[in-house]
Amino acid sequence: MISEFIREQHRYTQRDICRIMHCSEDKVVPLIRRLKEFGVLKSVKYTDEQKNMSDLLDEDVAVTDVVEGDDEYLYVTTFVGVIVVAGRVLKCYPKYLPPNRTPQKELQQILKVLEKYNSKEQIISIFNDSSEGSTFNLLAVLLFLLQDYYENGVYTTTEDIVESNGFGEILWDKTINETFTLISENRPYYIDLQTKKRVTNDHDYFKRLHECVLTKASKELKEAGLLDLFEITDIDLTDEELDDFGDVEYILYRLEQELNTQFNTRKQLLLKTIYTYISQNGNLYDMDCLSLFGTNSFNLVWEHICADIMNNKLDTPLGAIKLPVPLKPEYDRKQKLIDLIEKPLWTATGKTAADTLIPDLISIAKVGTKWQFIIFDAKYYVPKLRAGTPPTRQPGIESVTKQYLYQLAYQKFIEDHGFDAVKNCFLLPTENKEIEDRGEVSMAMLHRLGLQNIQVRFLPAEMAYEHYLSGKIMDIGLLGL
């Protein structure tokens, strides 16, 4: 199977995509259309400025049809993760990694991050949604089946059998009514005790079917080169084929019958997934197959990771936050930090609006002997910051001004509780191994109000992911704020 790496937000020509897809221009046109339909590929006008950009603005997106040999447009990947389309595997890595690379190790870690990030969802993404409807997401189903197996094992059914003098629970009614009793000194003694034993039926239809589906799923992912990428061990449980279980209609009928009698939540979800897998009868080589595992919004993933590893206190009740001095009595202990930000008052109504400023994350840390109130903003940008040249690809003016306003919003709380210092900081991902101090962003008119300028730190993505996956809080002192 064709398998290639592509970079998020990179600009590709139609000829580039032909090379990546290993096909001619007439064959690549329907593939591009399909990727655009599901929002993982967008087109922009071909200009020198666009060619060098690393971010995609909504106003730059061109709504146009795909024409064979068209060199007026560039195509931009807006996805991080894995795309399988028409027998081709596209491994999409984040934009902070340099282009023209094969970052297998980095993408393995990113896929683990995406799995954890999505673990809060209780349903499996069996279908991809698009503007034109939905399509079966075979890749998500195959991954779910294998991961469920490694967490819970093979599908099992049990039955209870009765034994004489076994080691299970004694069935007293059956023992009294059906066995010989000895009476001694008016006390009954039972020579043979009837006991209950629960055994697994190794020849159960659904256990065998599950093993067959797992073996088939593992083989398909292995042939696509995805077992290594997702770091999943190969599964080979049986030589049986799906045809050995009857035709498709019969298998689906048996699954429906089992679902009607099964009340275990995990088993219900597993049976429904197997049912969908068999009824759709797809494979990764199908020309109509388009499967996705990943996200169009990796910026939200980066924000979530930073909030997690920096011990975000934004939604923590004030009474549960450790402060330099005890919480002042005028503050409600049940209030959260987010609730302290003022909302705009519209005097014509005498009421405040519902919306207000919302920081990404707030950390409260004791660094050495100093208590710091730190306002972080996790920015998913790849800026060019070179001495003597204007910055490019950097966060916009609205991001800068909001950071100053966040400090202003919390100024009273900070003064009331004796913090030694206030810090403002942008956190941006980098492929490098060390935290980089990249100076600060300043606006003199706001700094003159006594507000702190915004420091810029490039945070190694690999380090952030390691902390996130292991559930560890990062030492904020390492940032050197």
Side-chain angles (χ1 to χ4, degrees):
M1 181 177 280
I2 296 166
S3 180
E4 295 285 351
F5 285 93
I6 61 174
R7 183 172 179 253
E8 178 201 18
Q9 301 284 7
H10 190 76
R11 271 58 173 170
Y12 294 97
T13 64
Q14 192 174 114
R15 189 171 298 174
D16 290 334
I17 297 180
C18 287
R19 175 182 50 78
I20 292 167
M21 298 284 198
H22 295 251
C23 64
S24 60
E25 289 183 347
D26 63 316
K27 296 286 180 62
V28 85
V29 167
L31 297 180
I32 293 175
R33 284 176 179 159
R34 194 150 174 75
L35 292 171
K36 286 183 67 177
E37 177 187 332
F38 283 87
V40 296
L41 197 69
K42 298 184 185 296
S43 54
V44 296
K45 197 76 174 175
Y46 193 130
T47 64
D48 290 339
E49 182 183 8
Q50 275 291 337
K51 188 71 177 173
N52 295 317
M53 289 185 69
S54 66
D55 293 297
L56 181 65
L57 303 176
D58 289 340
E59 55 264 31
D60 292 336
V61 177
V63 181
T64 180
D65 193 16
V66 184
V67 180
E68 182 182 335
D70 190 355
D71 58 1
E72 291 186 21
Y73 294 95
L74 296 168
Y75 298 98
V76 187
T77 313
T78 59
F79 192 79
V80 174
V82 176
I83 304 170
V84 181
V85 56
R88 295 162 173 83
V89 178
L90 303 178
K91 296 171 282 190
C92 312
Y93 60 92
K95 64 184 181 182
Y96 61 80
L97 294 173
N100 304 316
R101 287 185 56 185
T102 56
Q104 178 85 3
K105 182 180 177 183
E106 291 90 339
L107 193 53
Q108 285 175 339
Q109 187 185 43
I110 289 164
L111 292 174
K112 288 181 182 177
V113 166
L114 290 173
E115 286 178 24
K116 180 173 180 178
Y117 178 76
N118 291 321
S119 64
K120 57 183 178 291
E121 297 182 11
Q122 298 300 311
I123 60 172
I124 176 176
S125 300
I126 290 178
F127 292 95
N128 299 312
D129 294 324
S130 79
S131 57
E132 309 250 336
S134 62
T135 184
F136 178 51
N137 192 351
L138 177 60
L139 177 58
V141 168
L142 296 178
L143 292 170
F144 170 80
L145 288 170
L146 269 62
Q147 289 162 354
D148 172 80
Y149 167 74
Y150 282 115
E151 289 179 13
N152 302 298
V154 75
Y155 188 92
T156 57
T157 57
T158 59
E159 58 181 335
D160 294 331
I161 62 172
V162 178
E163 295 181 308
S164 290
N165 299 317
F167 294 98
E169 176 189 351
I170 298 173
L171 301 173
W172 284 110
D173 286 345
K174 199 168 185 66
T175 299
I176 293 169
N177 295 326
E178 299 181 13
T179 63
F180 184 74
T181 309
L182 295 178
I183 305 295
S184 176
E185 297 181 356
N186 291 324
R187 296 186 64 184
Y189 292 87
Y190 299 95
I191 304 301
D192 294 314
L193 297 175
Q194 298 295 295
T195 58
K196 181 172 70 173
K197 180 180 180 182
R198 179 161 293 175
V199 297
T200 301
N201 183 358
D202 289 329
H203 300 287
D204 176 71
Y205 180 89
F206 301 103
K207 177 179 181 293
R208 290 168 41 237
L209 178 63
H210 187 205
E211 290 173 340
C212 174
V213 168
L214 286 168
T215 302
K216 191 170 183 289
S218 176
K219 182 179 179 182
E220 196 159 2
L221 288 173
K222 184 176 182 180
E223 290 175 351
L226 293 174
L227 283 183
D228 289 339
L229 189 61
F230 284 93
E231 298 186 86
I232 300 175
T233 305
D234 191 12
I235 298 174
D236 187 3
L237 301 174
T238 181
D239 293 327
E240 288 187 283
E241 300 289 342
L242 278 178
D243 291 342
D244 298 332
F245 295 87
D247 59 27
V248 172
E249 289 76 14
Y250 176 73
I251 297 173
L252 297 180
Y253 169 76
R254 290 291 303 270
L255 286 167
E256 288 174 359
Q257 295 298 108
E258 180 71 4
L259 269 167
N260 290 335
T261 60
Q262 184 56 254
F263 300 102
N264 179 283
T265 302
R266 176 256 167 176
K267 288 185 176 181
Q268 281 189 334
L269 179 57
L270 177 58
L271 289 168
K272 288 176 183 177
T273 306
I274 294 173
Y275 184 98
T276 306
Y277 173 71
I278 293 173
S279 65
Q280 293 292 326
N281 193 30
N283 68 72
L284 296 175
Y285 286 91
D286 282 349
M287 291 306 294
D288 292 332
C289 173
L290 189 143
S291 292
L292 307 172
F293 181 90
T295 179
N296 272 333
S297 305
F298 200 73
N299 60 308
L300 300 181
V301 179
W302 178 246
E303 290 172 13
H304 176 80
I305 289 169
C306 290
D308 190 82
I309 67 175
M310 296 297 174
N311 200 15
N312 182 25
K313 298 296 186 183
L314 201 58
D315 291 310
T316 303
L318 298 180
I321 299 175
K322 191 172 182 180
L323 299 169
V325 299
L327 185 69
K328 298 292 184 180
E330 60 263 32
Y331 292 92
D332 185 347
R333 295 180 61 85
K334 295 180 181 179
Q335 257 190 319
K336 300 175 181 178
L337 275 175
I338 186 67
D339 300 326
L340 298 183
I341 297 180
E342 184 180 347
K343 296 179 180 179
L345 172 66
W346 290 79
T347 58
T349 67
K351 299 290 184 181
T352 58
D355 297 331
T356 187
L357 297 167
I358 303 177
D360 274 1
L361 62 135
I362 302 290
S363 292
I364 292 175
K366 191 174 183 181
V367 180
T369 60
K370 304 292 185 180
W371 282 90
Q372 294 184 353
F373 188 96
I374 311 169
I375 307 164
F376 285 115
D377 194 3
K379 307 303 291 185
Y380 188 58
Y381 287 79
V382 187
K384 283 190 175 181
L385 305 175
R386 294 174 181 168
T389 61
T392 58
R393 306 179 185 176
Q394 80 281 6
I397 183 65
E398 71 285 348
S399 297
V400 175
T401 54
K402 280 197 294 186
Q403 281 301 108
Y404 280 110
L405 289 175
Y406 294 148
Q407 182 181 343
L408 201 58
Y410 285 112
Q411 193 161 2
K412 182 177 185 304
F413 178 83
I414 292 166
E415 292 172 353
D416 286 346
H417 294 94
F419 283 92
D420 298 299
V422 182
K423 305 294 180 181
N424 236 326
C425 183
F426 284 151
L427 293 173
L428 299 96
T430 176
E431 80 279 7
N432 296 330
K433 303 298 182 183
E434 302 293 333
I435 296 172
E436 299 176 50
D437 180 346
R438 300 307 301 269
E440 59 183 35
V441 186
S442 64
M443 294 189 71
M445 62 180 177
L446 295 174
H447 186 63
R448 283 195 292 269
L449 297 177
L451 303 176
Q452 295 296 313
N453 292 331
I454 304 150
Q455 300 183 66
V456 180
R457 295 293 182 271
F458 283 12
L459 182 63
E462 183 180 348
M463 178 191 296
Y465 300 155
E466 285 175 356
H467 280 76
Y468 177 66
L469 291 171
S470 61
K472 295 179 180 178
I473 300 299
M474 187 171 173
D475 179 5
I476 290 178
L478 296 174
L479 297 172
L481 300 175

